[in-house]
Amino acid sequence: MIAASGPPANVTALQMVRNQAHSQFQDEDDEHPDDSSASEDEDEEAEENNGAEKKGDVHDTFVAKEAARMANCAGYCVLLSLIAVGVSLAVIAYFFVSGQEDDDFKQEYDVVKVEVFDGIERNTAATYQQLQTLAHLFPSRSDANIENSPLVTVVDYESFAMSTRSVTQAACLVYSPWMLTDAERDIFGMYSQEHLGSWLTQSYAMHPELAGQTPPTDIRPYVWHYIEDKLVEKDPGPGPYAAAYQVSPPPTQADLINFNMASAGIYLQAANNSMSTDIAILSEPAEMAALFGSSFMPAEGQEEVPHSLAVVPVPASLSPGTVNGDAPASETVSGHLSAAIPWTSLLTNILQEHQTGITVVVDSCNGAEVHTYRINGKDADYIGAGDLHDGDYDPMGYSNYFYGFVDRTALEGLFYCKHEIIVYPSNEYEDHFVSVAANTYAVTIAAVAFFAIILFLGYDMIVRRQQSLVLGEAERSQAIVASLFPGKVARKLFMDTSRHSSGLDISTHSTHSNNLLNFMSKGEHKTVEAARPIAELFPEATVMFADIAGFTAWSSIREPQHVFMLLESIFQSFDGIAKSFGVFKVETVGDCYVACCGVPEPNEDHATVMAQFARECLRKFHLVVQDLELKLGPDTSDLAMRFGLNSGPVTAGVLRGERARFQLFGDTVNTAARMESTGARNRIHISEQTADLLKAHGRETWIKAREDAVQAKGKGTLKTFWLEEEAAPPRLWQENDDQHLGNASAPGPLAVNEDDGIDLGDHSTGSGYGEGMEEFHRLTAGTRLPPMEQAPGGPVLDRRTQRLVDWNTELLMQLLKQVVARRFAVSGRRTQPDALWEMAQNVGEGHMPVEEVVEIIQLPDFDERAIRQVDPDTVILSPEVAAQCRSYVGRLASMYRDNPFHNFEHASHVTMSVSKLLSRIVAPEINKDLLGEGAIQEMILHDHTYGITSDPLTQFSVVLSALIHDVDHRGVPNFLLVKEDESLAKKYISKSVAEQNSVDLAWKTLMLNEYGELRSCIFSDLTELRRFRALLINSVIATDIFDKEQGTMRKNRWAKAFSDEYKTTDRKDQHRRATIVIEHLIQASDVAHTMQHWHVYTKWNERLFQEMFESYLTGRSEKDPSAGWYQGELGFFDNYIIPLAKKLKNCGVFGVASDEYLNYAVENRREWADKGEEIVARMINKYGPNEGQFEDEMQQKLEI
């Protein structure tokens, strides 16, 4: 037997492994002297193996010598190759790094140039907000009526104006009443003389530099203007008159007050445009000192900076109807607030500190005024008049037009000045990307090559060392084990596996790594029985459980791929954090993440490290869900995490058998799980033991005692604590640039006010709309809420609605890409200008939508050319299409009323359900391996799904139908709606009134002139147009499940489509089945909440109850819905929901989704039967009247 003290020089690595195995077994024989017979057998086997090993030694020696000879022969060739490779790599690295630096420069500049335009828009919006706020100060202080509204004096005007000037850097702010007649002018002259002293005195008091001075006493008591040679005279008329009245900073001379600013051309043009649009106007750069006189006081360092005149309309009143009503502008605007705005203020705080040297050229009024600026980080400097950029960067110039505070469309038909903004890089900016890296890399590679040559020269000496081979083998074996288990556990597992594994044959060339792999893959039972357990007690450790709150309900309405995308993104980010903190990840179970600190490597500060780790995981979680919201759905960022931490002794080890794992056991682990389950959303719940350790390490400020006692299962009453957030709260969103194709970036903060709503004027009263486009335009005109988010060309939306708009837009854009890709593959047609607009407008003319419902919608036949279509993800749609799609979805959102149930959020929920079912159609439960290849496989899939999978336009139409199906829903069923709105009832002959109204409004909106590019992407010929409209109408009308006539027709169509007589491969029968399947798909999606998780069902069920209960309490409905709500839901499940889910299953195209829907429906029905009565009682208590309080609130809502 080979001695264990050390190997001979010629012993191979595999022989060394065998020797170690012999020694290990011999040691075990010594521990069991009673096993004498086994020892004798092993000795005999060892002697036989020893003889075999001696023969192997000769062979191994020959192999080693042969390898050495071949290495010597190849050495010279390798040496020359190393030299050549080293030189080549050094040259390549130099040019590669240089090119990479140039690419980095261009790529970052591409981002920066867009950010400059976005920053100018942000700064302009902020400036407008400040000026508008100041302008609204005047009507808020007015006690007068509309006829004398210009006679307003804000005594403390300077206190507000100083704040506005500080933010906007305005050099002067002037309020000028707007008067049209000489009588108004004379009245104002007397009013001005009487009230000047009040605000001037207080304004002077706010400026220490004016202490001791008195306001000018030679102010003219009439409205005046300049004549030749700076002479002045009383303005003889005719109007209009815009007398400069309240001025900031307060004037020290009498050269501005009562001056008719309308006599200045630049002011008159801006004021007239403002009066025409009711929006603020920004003029071209001009000499402001000539207009504002001594009151023009630019900020320090901005004396030479060009200024533009901003004119903001001052409304006559803040009451509704006076700003955007039907009254003439002269009656709704009492004056203007004018300001001298420096252009540098619009260029500051745009870039990061390190981004310097960006040149901006502003060309105003087609070359009338050209100025150059330089952006250095967050600051902006004025370079001079004219175009002064470096001509070497002309090819990189990036330009766009800027219209000040308004959209270009608002100025159509007016004379205005547009500003062309051109962005260029400079030498200073490019120098940031030039470094010595290219030379450094080249020299480094040459040095490495030289070092490699030196190493190669010692190769012969190294390869002759047998011991190095054994060491290398051992290192490789340890690396394999270390990748699977903690280091200490891995060493013990390695030792026990090598000693006891029944798979180890001493006579074979098996290595330790092979033993471990056999153990992990085969899970030998004999090994588990024979080997000692690998376990250890760790007396000091902290365990963390983290669970995603709301995950179960969220995942019930998502595709499996989206569920795993969320979990992988969250848990992979946690893994990275754990690695950086030295925390050991134990496992993930479902949506629960388990980690520990102090195991397997002891750590005295384990509680502090785990607390920091939990904080960082919570911060990272918010970033991940916010980033994934656009892809996974608008309520993804509503998910939350619950963390539970506990400290104490932990038993840890390897639980062997099939797929061995490292596990934790003990009361500490159980308590940590209880901390998580009894915690709160987005809070870190810690036990008293963990809190004591944090206190002991000086972290008392990190924790806060939980006020209520915790009753934990199996633990009784526990005293627990909250781990407080860090001083600086984490950012909950990333700062990304806006991208096209609906890839909206940087949503708002995670904490969104769920009560934010869209005010659509008089909608909530339930009053009917008259026929014709006038009422339609009134509906889509916009909102009165303060601006938060706004789609281009669309209405103002609150943040939550904007998130829904972004997600729906992204979904529609992805489908549009598929439509365009297939169209080009089949017909070679690209997106063309809107040539079908007039025809599309006249489609359905003279017919009600319900009259256009058809039994069969002809879908495209299978076309082999579609198989070769380009990847839709590579299709690039124009920015105009993306902007129009987003604007269209935004308009649809604004047309939804603020109902508890029938609102835009519900429409988005239906859209998500439609998308999920469509994705299941695309991947039916068919063994594709048995279908053949290429066109045959695709054709079988086409027939199996009745052609729905082959037509992206069909899928787009159904998704859009879900989005529009409740547009302008009044919050009452059709039978009440026909009573409330006789005009709608007459228009649609009392059939599916709400659904037909939704179709008409959505279609008319799509036909607006501004959506030409979007329409061109949706349909390019008459066939596509007709199919698109037919799918929209059939799908939307199908959501009226209470129309008996339509319901009977659908039942007959279903029976006919799936009867044995019509189950043929005939194209007509196939299209009939596709039509009825689409109708049932939209029906199932409309009530999808009943076939999803219990929490989802109860959420929407309560909203529907609230909507109908409000209708009852406000007198719109005579029937109290609470009386039969419990039994009604049971009947709804039995007679509609469950049969509908069975139909989805029977049609055979939805795969496992139909089973999922049916199972949820049955389970929800069972839970409602058990809990429904209690839930109804709770809802009645929640929404029922409280001593008349609820009726009063509803009455106030109706009056508003």
Side-chain angles (χ1 to χ4, degrees):
M1 183 175 292
I2 299 176
S5 59
N10 62 346
V11 176
T12 65
L14 297 178
Q15 289 170 340
M16 183 62 185
V17 174
R18 294 199 296 272
N19 296 342
Q20 292 175 347
H22 278 284
S23 299
Q24 293 167 357
F25 277 97
Q26 181 61 47
D27 293 340
E28 187 161 339
D29 291 340
D30 296 339
E31 295 175 3
H32 304 279
D34 294 338
D35 299 336
S36 58
S37 60
S39 300
E40 292 174 359
D41 294 339
E42 290 177 359
D43 290 339
E44 291 175 0
E45 182 178 355
E47 289 177 0
E48 294 176 0
N49 291 336
N50 190 27
E53 288 169 2
K54 290 180 179 178
K55 295 179 181 179
D57 289 345
V58 176
H59 176 72
D60 292 338
T61 302
F62 172 78
V63 172
K65 290 182 178 179
E66 183 68 14
R69 186 184 65 81
M70 294 179 63
N72 289 334
C73 293
Y76 296 105
C77 295
V78 175
L79 179 61
L80 295 176
S81 299
L82 284 174
I83 296 174
V85 170
V87 174
S88 300
L89 288 178
V91 174
I92 293 173
Y94 176 83
F95 287 102
F96 175 81
V97 174
S98 299
Q100 188 64 42
E101 290 177 347
D102 186 62
D103 291 341
D104 292 342
F105 157 65
K106 293 178 180 178
Q107 289 175 3
E108 182 168 320
Y109 170 70
D110 288 339
V111 175
V112 166
K113 66 187 182 183
V114 176
E115 183 61 23
V116 169
F117 286 105
D118 293 342
I120 292 174
E121 293 288 350
R122 288 195 303 270
N123 290 339
T124 304
T127 298
Y128 173 68
Q129 186 66 36
Q130 288 291 326
L131 295 177
Q132 187 184 50
T133 301
L134 183 62
H136 285 182
L137 181 65
F138 288 91
S140 69
R141 297 293 182 87
S142 175
D143 294 329
N145 53 37
I146 281 185
E147 285 73 21
N148 56 11
S149 59
L151 305 182
V152 180
T153 299
V154 178
V155 177
D156 54 347
Y157 169 78
E158 184 62 11
S159 64
F160 296 96
M162 288 176 64
S163 174
T164 302
R165 286 195 294 113
S166 174
V167 175
T168 64
Q169 301 181 31
C172 186
L173 290 171
V174 178
Y175 166 66
S176 305
W178 184 259
M179 297 163 287
L180 299 178
T181 65
D182 294 347
E184 290 178 330
R185 174 200 62 190
D186 296 336
I187 293 173
F188 175 79
M190 292 184 292
Y191 175 87
S192 170
Q193 192 68 14
E194 180 181 352
H195 291 83
L196 272 173
S198 58
W199 68 267
L200 271 177
T201 301
Q202 187 159 337
S203 296
Y204 266 59
M206 298 191 65
H207 291 270
E209 69 274 15
L210 298 179
Q213 299 186 32
T214 58
T217 58
D218 55 343
I219 296 175
R220 300 171 182 86
Y222 51 81
V223 178
W224 56 276
H225 69 160
Y226 284 107
I227 56 177
E228 296 180 357
D229 298 327
K230 292 294 182 179
L231 297 178
V232 301
E233 69 172 7
K234 180 177 180 180
D235 198 320
Y241 306 94
Y245 181 43
Q246 294 199 248
V247 182
S248 177
T252 58
Q253 301 179 28
D255 59 348
L256 182 59
I257 294 180
N258 288 344
F259 167 61
N260 183 13
M261 301 187 72
S263 62
I266 186 173
Y267 180 94
L268 184 59
Q269 179 183 333
N272 285 334
N273 287 345
S274 174
M275 298 288 288
S276 300
T277 61
D278 278 347
I279 303 176
I281 301 296
L282 187 68
S283 74
E284 68 274 14
E287 181 60 40
M288 293 292 106
L291 181 63
F292 294 106
S294 61
S295 295
F296 176 74
M297 298 180 64
E300 184 178 355
Q302 295 186 353
E303 293 80 4
E304 302 299 325
V305 175
H307 288 64
S308 283
L309 177 65
V311 177
V312 181
V314 176
S317 172
L318 293 181
S319 60
T322 61
V323 176
N324 295 317
D326 296 328
S330 60
E331 296 181 13
T332 60
V333 174
S334 64
H336 295 91
L337 180 70
S338 53
I341 304 297
W343 273 86
T344 51
S345 68
L346 304 181
L347 299 172
T348 57
N349 297 317
I350 292 178
L351 303 180
Q352 301 297 322
E353 291 290 351
H354 66 279
Q355 296 172 326
T356 60
I358 296 297
T359 303
V360 178
V361 178
V362 180
D363 183 346
S364 302
C365 302
N366 298 321
E369 289 283 340
V370 181
H371 299 276
T372 304
Y373 306 83
R374 178 69 57 85
I375 299 180
N376 294 313
K378 295 186 178 299
D379 299 323
D381 301 318
Y382 176 60
I383 304 300
D387 188 345
L388 304 179
H389 80 279
D390 190 339
D392 293 339
Y393 296 99
D394 281 346
M396 302 183 70
Y398 182 72
S399 67
N400 205 343
Y401 285 101
F402 171 67
Y403 299 91
F405 303 119
V406 298
D407 194 316
R408 177 184 178 183
T409 57
L411 296 172
E412 289 183 358
L414 302 176
F415 180 81
Y416 61 95
C417 176
K418 64 180 179 180
H419 311 274
E420 182 181 9
I421 299 177
I422 313 171
V423 181
Y424 298 96
S426 64
N427 284 327
E428 177 186 355
Y429 181 76
E430 186 175 8
D431 288 343
H432 293 310
F433 300 88
V434 178
S435 65
V436 296
N439 294 329
T440 302
Y441 277 105
V443 172
T444 301
I445 291 175
V448 171
F450 177 77
F451 183 71
I453 294 172
I454 298 300
L455 292 179
F456 175 76
L457 295 177
Y459 169 77
D460 289 338
M461 179 184 65
I462 297 174
V463 296
R464 293 190 183 101
R465 298 178 181 271
Q466 290 288 340
Q467 189 62 37
S468 65
L469 295 178
V470 176
L471 179 62
E473 183 70 18
E475 290 176 349
R476 286 192 294 273
S477 300
Q478 292 175 0
I480 295 174
V481 179
S483 66
L484 300 174
F485 298 94
K488 183 185 296 185
V489 177
R491 288 190 292 272
K492 196 169 185 179
L493 177 63
F494 182 83
M495 181 183 301
D496 290 348
T497 303
S498 301
R499 178 176 297 180
H500 298 291
S501 175
S502 61
L504 176 62
D505 186 355
I506 300 178
S507 63
T508 62
H509 289 186
S510 297
T511 64
H512 292 297
S513 60
N514 289 334
N515 297 335
L516 179 61
L517 292 175
N518 289 335
F519 170 77
M520 292 298 296
S521 61
K522 299 179 181 179
E524 301 286 352
H525 294 292
K526 293 182 180 179
T527 300
V528 176
E529 295 173 359
R532 297 176 180 176
I534 302 173
E536 188 175 346
L537 176 65
F538 295 87
E540 296 184 2
T542 299
V543 180
M544 182 196 82
F545 277 72
D547 187 76
I548 304 176
F551 174 79
T552 305
W554 179 91
S555 62
S556 71
I557 61 176
R558 282 346 188 259
E559 303 174 36
Q561 295 87 342
H562 288 173
V563 174
F564 273 77
M565 181 185 298
L566 175 76
L567 293 177
E568 287 178 352
S569 300
I570 294 173
F571 292 158
Q572 285 179 8
S573 65
F574 286 8
D575 292 345
I577 300 172
K579 185 176 181 180
S580 63
F581 275 88
V583 172
F584 181 73
K585 171 190 175 181
V586 180
E587 63 179 343
T588 58
V589 181
D591 60 323
C592 183
Y593 187 93
V594 185
C596 61
C597 186
V599 177
E601 300 297 333
N603 187 338
E604 295 181 357
D605 205 19
H606 55 88
T608 302
V609 172
M610 187 58 80
Q612 294 174 324
F613 171 69
R615 279 176 168 178
E616 184 62 18
C617 286
L618 180 58
R619 187 192 70 84
K620 188 65 176 178
F621 169 79
H622 290 317
L623 292 175
V624 170
V625 296
Q626 195 74 24
D627 185 57
L628 290 175
E629 184 174 48
L630 190 62
K631 184 175 294 184
L632 303 185
D635 55 346
T636 301
S637 64
D638 294 335
L639 293 172
M641 289 292 291
R642 289 193 307 266
F643 290 84
L645 275 66
N646 183 40
S647 302
V650 172
T651 299
V654 179
L655 188 62
R656 295 170 298 183
E658 292 288 341
R659 303 294 182 264
R661 292 189 301 171
F662 186 79
Q663 292 285 321
L664 303 180
F665 300 93
D667 185 69
T668 299
V669 180
N670 295 336
T671 303
R674 299 293 183 270
M675 290 298 98
E676 178 275 316
S677 61
T678 58
R681 292 167 58 91
N682 293 328
R683 298 296 299 271
I684 303 172
H685 195 201
I686 64 176
S687 66
E688 187 174 12
Q689 291 80 0
T690 303
D692 290 341
L693 290 175
L694 292 176
K695 293 177 183 178
H697 286 81
R699 312 295 186 185
E700 298 90 346
T701 58
W702 288 17
I703 61 177
K704 179 182 179 181
R706 181 168 179 171
E707 296 179 356
D708 56 320
V710 174
Q711 297 293 331
K713 181 180 180 181
K715 300 294 179 183
T717 303
L718 298 178
K719 181 181 179 182
T720 60
F721 298 80
W722 298 115
L723 182 65
E724 292 291 272
E725 293 289 338
E726 297 175 276
R731 285 194 346 228
L732 300 183
W733 66 94
Q734 297 180 0
E735 297 176 353
N736 297 327
D737 294 320
D738 290 345
Q739 298 176 359
H740 292 308
L741 301 182
N743 196 9
S745 64
L750 183 69
V752 177
N753 183 2
E754 301 292 346
D755 295 330
D756 286 343
I758 302 177
D759 183 0
L760 292 178
D762 296 333
H763 289 184
S764 58
T765 63
S767 60
Y769 301 113
E771 298 182 349
M773 291 299 293
E774 178 181 356
E775 202 59 43
F776 163 72
H777 284 301
R778 187 189 70 77
L779 177 62
T780 60
T783 69
R784 295 199 306 268
L785 281 180
M788 300 173 70
E789 299 286 349
Q790 185 167 8
V796 179
L797 305 172
D798 63 79
R799 289 193 184 97
R800 183 171 183 82
T801 305
Q802 191 63 43
R803 287 159 51 193
L804 296 171
V805 169
D806 291 340
W807 179 81
N808 283 292
T809 301
E810 176 69 14
L811 176 61
L812 292 177
M813 289 298 296
Q814 292 300 324
L815 292 172
L816 275 180
K817 289 183 181 181
Q818 298 177 29
V819 171
V820 173
R822 185 185 189 279
R823 180 183 298 145
F824 181 73
V826 172
S827 63
R829 294 197 308 272
R830 299 181 183 272
T831 299
Q832 299 294 331
D834 190 15
L836 298 174
W837 182 24
E838 183 175 351
M839 187 174 296
Q841 286 181 311
N842 296 328
V843 168
E845 188 70 25
H847 298 282
M848 294 185 300
V850 73
E851 296 174 339
E852 299 181 52
V853 175
V854 294
E855 180 179 350
I856 299 176
I857 300 176
Q858 184 172 350
L859 302 187
D861 296 329
F862 175 76
D863 196 319
E864 185 176 346
R865 293 173 295 179
I867 303 174
R868 299 187 294 270
Q869 73 179 39
V870 298
D871 183 0
D873 290 335
T874 64
V875 174
I876 300 177
L877 301 180
S878 68
E880 290 78 13
V881 173
Q884 291 178 19
C885 183
R886 193 164 184 266
S887 172
Y888 180 61
V889 175
R891 283 186 182 272
L892 292 177
S894 71
M895 295 162 68
Y896 274 84
R897 295 168 180 264
D898 191 17
N899 299 317
F901 183 84
H902 293 95
N903 51 36
F904 187 65
E905 182 182 357
H906 176 253
S908 300
H909 183 267
V910 176
T911 303
M912 182 180 295
S913 301
V914 168
S915 177
K916 178 179 179 179
L917 284 175
L918 285 175
S919 69
R920 299 299 176 87
I921 293 179
V922 175
E925 290 296 318
I926 299 179
N927 187 351
K928 295 185 179 181
D929 294 335
L930 302 179
L931 297 181
E933 299 294 334
I936 297 178
Q937 180 180 12
E938 295 296 330
M939 182 174 64
I940 296 176
L941 292 176
H942 170 92
D943 293 339
H944 175 80
T945 59
Y946 315 129
I948 300 175
T949 59
S950 304
D951 185 29
L953 179 58
T954 297
Q955 301 174 39
F956 175 87
S957 304
V958 178
V959 170
L960 184 59
S961 300
L963 194 61
I964 70 171
H965 78 285
D966 276 335
V967 164
D968 192 34
H969 197 286
R970 312 294 178 83
V972 292
N974 279 328
F975 76 90
L976 290 179
L977 183 58
V978 298
K979 297 178 181 178
E980 291 184 354
D981 195 327
E982 295 181 358
S983 60
L984 276 184
K986 181 180 179 181
K987 180 177 180 180
Y988 299 119
I989 60 173
S990 300
K991 288 185 177 181
S992 302
V993 177
E995 290 74 20
Q996 294 194 76
N997 186 46
S998 297
V999 171
D1000 279 346
L1001 289 174
W1003 187 264
K1004 290 176 182 178
T1005 302
L1006 184 61
M1007 293 304 111
L1008 292 177
N1009 186 36
E1010 59 195 86
Y1011 298 124
E1013 288 80 0
L1014 177 60
R1015 288 192 297 271
S1016 299
C1017 279
I1018 299 175
F1019 47 81
S1020 62
D1021 57 34
L1022 186 58
T1023 300
E1024 291 183 345
L1025 168 61
R1026 289 173 175 170
R1027 183 165 76 255
F1028 171 61
R1029 180 170 173 86
L1031 286 166
L1032 279 183
I1033 291 177
N1034 268 47
S1035 300
V1036 175
I1037 299 302
T1039 61
D1040 183 8
I1041 62 176
F1042 295 106
D1043 187 299
K1044 294 182 179 180
E1045 180 181 349
Q1046 291 290 335
T1048 301
M1049 293 172 59
R1050 275 191 292 272
K1051 289 180 180 179
N1052 294 336
R1053 291 205 299 271
W1054 177 275
K1056 186 176 182 180
F1058 291 97
S1059 65
D1060 294 336
E1061 178 183 356
Y1062 292 93
K1063 276 191 175 181
T1064 68
T1065 57
D1066 181 73
R1067 290 168 53 191
K1068 184 176 181 180
D1069 293 334
Q1070 188 180 63
H1071 295 158
R1072 176 184 288 106
R1073 287 191 289 273
T1075 303
I1076 195 63
V1077 165
I1078 289 173
E1079 290 181 353
H1080 281 71
L1081 182 151
I1082 192 71
Q1083 283 184 330
S1085 300
D1086 192 26
V1087 292
H1089 62 281
T1090 63
M1091 295 178 276
Q1092 291 166 351
H1093 191 271
W1094 171 254
H1095 292 163
V1096 178
Y1097 163 65
T1098 54
K1099 165 189 171 181
W1100 289 106
N1101 180 61
E1102 180 176 342
R1103 291 191 179 185
L1104 180 59
F1105 178 87
Q1106 178 188 357
E1107 182 175 298
M1108 298 183 69
F1109 206 49
E1110 287 183 4
S1111 176
Y1112 166 68
L1113 293 176
T1114 54
R1116 301 177 69 188
S1117 172
E1118 297 178 356
K1119 183 179 179 181
D1120 182 358
S1122 63
W1125 194 265
Y1126 171 73
Q1127 290 295 338
E1129 284 295 293
L1130 292 177
F1132 193 51
F1133 272 110
D1134 294 337
N1135 300 319
Y1136 182 73
I1137 299 300
I1138 294 178
L1140 179 60
K1142 291 180 178 179
K1143 283 186 177 181
L1144 295 182
K1145 182 178 179 64
N1146 294 337
C1147 71
V1149 298
F1150 293 104
V1152 296
S1154 57
D1155 294 318
E1156 176 188 352
Y1157 273 39
L1158 179 58
N1159 292 338
Y1160 270 125
V1162 173
E1163 181 63 22
N1164 286 339
R1165 198 270 183 207
R1166 184 192 63 79
E1167 286 209 47
W1168 179 260
D1170 294 340
K1171 307 174 183 177
E1173 291 179 313
E1174 178 183 350
I1175 293 175
V1176 171
R1178 187 171 64 249
M1179 291 191 301
I1180 294 174
N1181 183 61
K1182 180 177 181 180
Y1183 299 110
N1186 183 14
E1187 296 181 355
Q1189 177 183 354
F1190 188 84
E1191 288 91 344
D1192 294 340
E1193 292 176 354
M1194 293 305 302
Q1195 185 61 34
Q1196 293 175 7
K1197 182 176 180 182
L1198 287 176
E1199 293 174 356
I1200 294 175

